[in-house]
Each structure stands twice: as C-alpha cells, then as structure tokens.
C-alpha cells in the first residue's frame, strides 16, 4: 500500500528515533524533534518502537490513500480532516482507499507527527530511516517531501481482532504553552561566564527568534556576560547543548545540530524537556531551570519502565503513553 503526496505542506519529512553512532563522521542523530509525540503517534496505530512517521512543521500536507490504512497523529494541533470528517489528535482512524487526509496550519505547537500502521517503508541508511537534509541522506531521497511523491507503507498484518483493538486506542494530546520552562544541567564550559552572566541566564527570560529550524533555536534577550571571549577549540555537541556566541545570545542545538562547535556551552537541556522546545514558535518565552544530574537519573527510571513494557512479550505498549504522560 502507499500514500501519494498531493500537497507537501511547509516542511514534511520522514523521521524515526534517529541515527546514532556516526557523530565521528560528522553525521548528527536527526530523528523526530518531539520524541514524545512521535512515540505516541506510533502507539496509536500499533507500530513497534522506532517506526518511521511523518514530521510535519507549521503547515500540514494533503495525502491520498491508495488502500485502506490505519493512521493517527499527535503533536501540534493542525485542523485535520479525512475528506469531510474532522480528525482529532490522540485517536486511531481507518482511511479508506481513495480518501484524502489534509492537515492545516498549526494552532497549538508547531510540529505534528503522522503515523501509519506498518510504518513508512523507506530505505534504512546508516541504521535509520530519518531524513538528514543537510547531508542529503535518509528519509525520502534525503529531502523534504514534494507534491507527487509516493511513500510505501508496510502491511501491519493485523488480525481482525487486533484491528478492532487498535481502532479503540487513544493517547492524551499535549498542550503547548507560549511560556516554556526547561530544565538544564550547567556545563561543560559554564566557567567561561561571569557570576552575573550565570545569574542572568538562570533568572531572566529569553524570546524565541524567527531564526529557528531543525538545527537550532536562536534566542533573544539579555546578554550572557562572559569572563573572556566564548570562542573555544571545537568540541562535541549534543541534542540540547546551549551555545553562547560572541554576541552573548544563547543558541539551543536541536536534532540536526552540527557535531562539533567552537562556542562555549553554558548548559544542556535534559532530554525529557526537548519535546517542549521542539514545539516552540517564534515569540515564545523560554526560561531555564538548573537541575542536578541526580534528579535527571530519577526521571530516567520512567524511561526504563517504558522500555520493559515495550520489550516484554505479551505486554502491549498500551500503558506506555500513560507512563510518559504521568511524568
């Protein structure tokens, strides 16, 4: 079975959990920006962990189904319709052959995740189906989708009983605020900044600029005072690193970040809070809250519990979104 792209929207790409193990070759992890919504979308349609979905940014696409297909979407609310039927976030739907699905402008959040039962069947490149546009690899021909593209969807092989159960699935949609607080761990170069600079960083608000993409989020606000120039010998960067450039303004590095950078990193956003940054819009306000690594290790207990649910035979993921939501 397949889906045809009638209109690609503003920015629609194929993404999965990400591409790991190639940072030393200059290839970042990519993958879904908002992994919480991505995982919930896969849960809705009964997919295994790691299946590829569509990540839709700002303005949604219009798709045509060539065969009956189960789908569901999470993340940003985008006024979705299946022909004339309203489609809500957090539910699984059956699209019939010949029906079209249309997602509109993002009203709450900025990125939606659209999953199809069986998963999107694009080639695995370096262990992942994720699109890395800067490297031109993965996803559909290494690029965002265009009108006329056709994506193959694998047959999920459901029994009639399992299909009925899948179509009853629900997950709680997230609500996104224009005021976002994220938890960060200071370092590894926080000693480059003055005491006043660190106080400002943790006690003032920063506004999301218009300069945002899958690579990073540039912030506007009070300059972070440094003890000396923030240029450093380039070292490794991770998803969530916060660089401060010579202008004194922070930049949060996201899924398609460069693998090394030459500006001091004042802190790193914990992985659990990256989902909120992934949904930030220009003009939103961000505040940073300092936490200890011991606090983060306690949070990761829930990731371990979710993994056990997913990997234990006979135990479905039905509890997984609720576990995530409870955090």
């Amino acid at each position: 079975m397949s889906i045809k792209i009638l209109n690609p929207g503003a920015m629609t790409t194929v993404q999965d959990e990400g591409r790991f193990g190639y940072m030393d070759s200059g290839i970042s992890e990519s993958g879904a920006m908002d992994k919480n919504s991505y995982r919930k979308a896969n849960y809705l349609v009964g997919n295994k962990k790691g299946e590829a979905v569509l990540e839709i940014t700002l303005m949604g696409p219009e798709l045509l189904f060539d065969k009956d297909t189960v789908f569901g979407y999470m993340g940003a609310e985008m006024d979705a319709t299946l022909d004339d039927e309203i489609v809500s976030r957090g539910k699984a739907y059956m699209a019939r052959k010949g029906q079209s699905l249309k997602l509109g402008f993002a009203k709450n959040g900025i990125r939606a995740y659209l999953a199809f039962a069986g998963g999107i069947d694009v080639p695995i490149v370096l262990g992942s189906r994720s699109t890395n546009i800067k490297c031109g690899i993965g996803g559909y021909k290494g690029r965002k989708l265009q009108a006329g593209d056709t994506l193959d969807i694998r047959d999920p092989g459901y029994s009639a009983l399992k299909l009925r159960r899948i179509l009853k699935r629900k997950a709680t949609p997230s609500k996104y605020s224009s005021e976002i607080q994220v938890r960060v761990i200071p370092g590894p170069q926080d000693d480059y900044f003055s005491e006043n600079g660190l106080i400002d960083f943790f006690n003032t608000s920063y506004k999301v600029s218009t300069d945002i993409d899958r690579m990073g989020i540039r912030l506007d606000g009070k300059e972070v005072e440094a003890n000396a120039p923030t240029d450093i010998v380039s070292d490794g960067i991770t998803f969530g690193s916060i660089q401060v450039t010579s202008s004194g303004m922070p930049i949060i590095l996201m899924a398609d970040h460069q693998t090394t950078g030459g500006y001091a990193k004042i802190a790193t956003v914990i992985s659990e809070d990256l989902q909120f940054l992934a949904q930030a819009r220009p003009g939103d306000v961000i505040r940073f809250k300092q936490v200890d690594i011991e606090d983060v290790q306690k949070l990761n207990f829930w990731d371990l519990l979710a993994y056990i649910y997913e990997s234990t035979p006979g135990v479905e993921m039905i509890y997984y979104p609720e576990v995530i939501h409870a955090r």
Side-chain angles (χ1 to χ4, degrees):
M1 68 183 77
S2 65
I3 55 173
K4 183 175 182 180
I5 310 301
L6 301 179
N7 183 329
M11 172 78 172
T12 302
T13 59
V14 178
Q15 299 292 345
D16 63 11
E17 286 276 356
R19 181 173 289 105
F20 303 99
Y22 299 94
M23 292 272 283
D24 60 349
S25 299
I27 299 174
S28 59
E29 63 187 78
S30 297
M33 290 272 279
D34 175 356
K35 286 188 169 52
N36 185 35
S37 296
Y38 156 81
R39 290 166 182 162
K40 286 183 175 180
N42 265 329
Y43 159 77
L44 284 176
V45 300
N47 282 345
K48 297 177 182 176
K49 180 181 178 182
E51 288 292 353
V53 308
L54 293 184
E55 180 181 272
I56 300 161
T57 303
L58 190 60
M59 175 65 79
E62 184 175 4
L63 317 172
L64 179 66
F65 293 90
D66 84 335
K67 195 172 183 179
D68 295 356
T69 307
V70 177
F71 72 91
Y73 95 100
M74 293 295 292
E77 186 178 359
M78 286 189 168
D79 279 342
T81 54
L82 180 65
D83 287 347
D84 295 326
E85 177 189 0
I86 295 175
V87 171
S88 301
R89 294 181 297 165
K91 296 175 63 177
Y93 291 86
M94 171 67 82
R96 300 297 181 185
K97 178 181 178 181
Q99 287 192 298
S100 64
L101 175 65
K102 187 175 183 179
L103 283 79
F105 191 79
K107 297 194 304 184
N108 182 255
I110 197 170
R111 288 185 173 86
Y113 294 85
L114 179 60
F116 307 94
I120 299 173
D121 192 14
V122 292
I124 296 175
V125 179
L126 300 178
S128 171
R129 292 187 168 90
S130 281
T131 310
N132 185 324
I133 291 178
K134 292 188 180 299
C135 294
I137 62 172
Y140 186 84
K141 299 182 179 180
R143 59 167 171 79
K144 66 179 184 180
L145 297 182
Q146 300 173 358
D149 290 343
T150 299
L151 294 172
D152 292 329
I153 308 297
R154 289 194 299 279
D155 185 346
Y158 291 159
S159 64
L161 175 61
K162 184 166 184 178
L163 176 59
R164 287 197 294 273
R165 291 169 60 184
I166 292 292
L167 290 174
K168 292 180 180 177
R169 285 193 171 185
K170 294 182 179 179
T172 305
S174 298
K175 294 180 180 178
Y176 306 108
S177 172
S178 60
E179 296 188 6
I180 303 167
Q181 177 174 275
V182 293
R183 293 163 289 183
V184 300
I185 297 173
Q189 288 108 19
D190 53 317
D191 57 333
Y192 272 62
F193 302 93
S194 70
E195 183 176 347
N196 286 336
L198 292 170
I199 289 173
D200 289 339
F201 180 75
F202 287 113
N203 292 281
T204 61
S205 299
Y206 290 88
K207 186 172 288 188
V208 177
S209 74
T210 57
D211 190 5
I212 62 171
D213 58 17
R214 282 183 48 86
M215 186 174 180
I217 299 173
R218 189 179 291 271
L219 303 178
D220 292 328
K222 191 168 186 178
E223 179 181 344
V224 182
E225 183 181 84
N227 294 316
T230 57
D231 302 281
I232 62 170
V233 176
S234 293
D235 65 2
I237 284 178
T238 189
F239 192 172
S241 293
I242 306 174
Q243 283 184 328
V244 179
T245 67
S246 55
S247 70
M249 292 298 114
I251 301 174
I252 309 172
L253 282 305
M254 302 297 284
D256 284 353
H257 60 83
Q258 70 273 31
T259 55
T260 62
Y263 292 112
K265 293 172 285 295
I266 192 170
T268 301
V269 180
I270 69 170
S271 57
E272 284 79 2
D273 288 356
L274 291 171
Q275 58 178 306
F276 305 115
L277 293 174
Q279 298 292 350
R281 307 164 68 108
D284 285 356
V285 173
I286 292 179
R287 297 180 66 90
F288 299 106
K289 179 182 178 181
Q290 181 176 344
V291 294
D292 298 325
I293 195 161
E294 288 78 11
D295 296 328
V296 179
Q297 288 170 337
K298 291 175 184 175
L299 289 173
N300 287 338
F301 164 78
W302 294 107
D303 286 332
L304 175 61
L305 185 60
Y307 174 77
I308 293 171
Y309 274 124
E310 288 182 63
S311 59
T312 304
V315 177
E316 287 198 12
M317 289 174 61
I318 191 166
Y319 300 108
Y320 182 47
E322 282 66 31
V323 169
I324 297 298
H325 182 65
R327 290 192 301 181

